[in-house]
Amino acid sequence: MTPEQVAAASKPVVLDLGDAFSRDATTLRRARLLGISGWAFYISGRAGALGDVRAETAAAALGFIAPDAVADGWDAAARVVPPFEVAAASLAECCRWGAQQLGPLPGTERLSALVERAVVAAEASGMPLFAAWRAMPLPDLSPGARSAAGLRLLREHFTGAYLLAVRAAGMTPLEAVLAGPEGEAGAVACGWPPPYPPIGPLVRRRLWAEAVTNRLAAPAFTALGPADGAELVELLHRTRVDLG
């Protein structure tokens, strides 16, 4: 497989698995223990890796979430706990989920090694969230934890690449969300209020942005070579099936 093919084939699985820990009930309980809402934990747990920045900066880095929705979560969390501490708690939950859910699965150690090679080789220019998360030390070095943290990093890499591609396509983040598979429901979930622009003219631009995303992410998978790249894709799909 070529690096672009690996990027295209792995992207939907990485986007799913890289965020799976955040939907876990134990992760959501961590938010309550910190004294913040699940939304505040999600927003500050992602953008908090940037440190104590303004809500506008967090919104610019996250990209696809409405700035007002980001500010609501960011400011609510900041009144209770520093953003970086929320990010550290989020990473701890990611590693916990990985150790529990991915650790027992066959092939997890190999998956962690391949994912980490891709993460190290990935280009971080223009992707502040990916760069910030890659710099954070892991609290757990077991194969399951490393796999989960690496998948989260690759998810931020793909998301950052897509944000760059969307802007290059002349689209706003809202337009990209509307032109995506979830349409207006996705826009509502990301905090964008109606009325919405028509999406008909946007679909072709979104497809172009998807292809550019694969090209931007491809250097991360160049380091694996064709055989290991294909193995990574196979392991990712097998892991998602095993998780049910």
Side-chain angles (χ1 to χ4, degrees), residues 17-78:
L17 294 181
D19 193 45
F21 81 96
S22 70
R23 303 186 292 271
D24 184 71
T26 303
T27 300
L28 297 176
R29 283 198 294 271
R30 184 66 172 265
R32 293 195 293 272
L33 290 174
L34 289 173
I36 59 179
S37 68
W39 179 249
F41 185 77
Y42 176 77
I43 293 297
S44 199
R46 277 188 68 197
L50 299 171
D52 190 15
V53 299
R54 294 181 181 274
E56 294 86 351
T57 303
L62 291 169
F64 296 104
I65 303 174
D68 286 348
V70 172
D72 286 344
W74 183 262
D75 292 340

Side-chain angles (χ1 to χ4, degrees), residues 26-184:
T26 303
T27 300
L28 297 176
R29 283 198 294 271
R30 184 66 172 265
R32 293 195 293 272
L33 290 174
L34 289 173
I36 59 179
S37 68
W39 179 249
F41 185 77
Y42 176 77
I43 293 297
S44 199
R46 277 188 68 197
L50 299 171
D52 190 15
V53 299
R54 294 181 181 274
E56 294 86 351
T57 303
L62 291 169
F64 296 104
I65 303 174
D68 286 348
V70 172
D72 286 344
W74 183 262
D75 292 340
R79 287 192 289 269
V80 179
V81 58
F84 195 80
E85 289 188 22
V86 182
S90 178
L91 180 57
E93 290 302 317
C94 177
C95 289
R96 175 203 54 78
W97 178 87
Q100 292 177 353
Q101 302 297 324
L102 301 181
L105 299 180
T108 295
E109 188 162 0
R110 178 62 173 162
L111 175 64
S112 67
L114 292 174
V115 167
E116 286 173 342
R117 282 168 57 192
V119 166
V120 169
E123 174 57 56
S125 299
M127 303 182 190
L129 272 184
F130 171 71
W133 276 107
R134 188 165 63 175
M136 290 188 67
L138 296 183
D140 183 345
L141 297 179
S142 66
R146 287 164 46 213
S147 291
L151 288 168
R152 179 178 185 169
L153 275 165
L154 281 184
R155 187 180 193 278
E156 291 292 1
H157 186 61
F158 274 122
T159 304
Y162 186 49
L163 182 58
L164 292 174
V166 162
R167 302 301 293 123
M171 301 171 70
T172 66
L174 169 58
E175 289 174 336
V177 173
L178 288 170
E182 296 181 4
E184 291 188 2

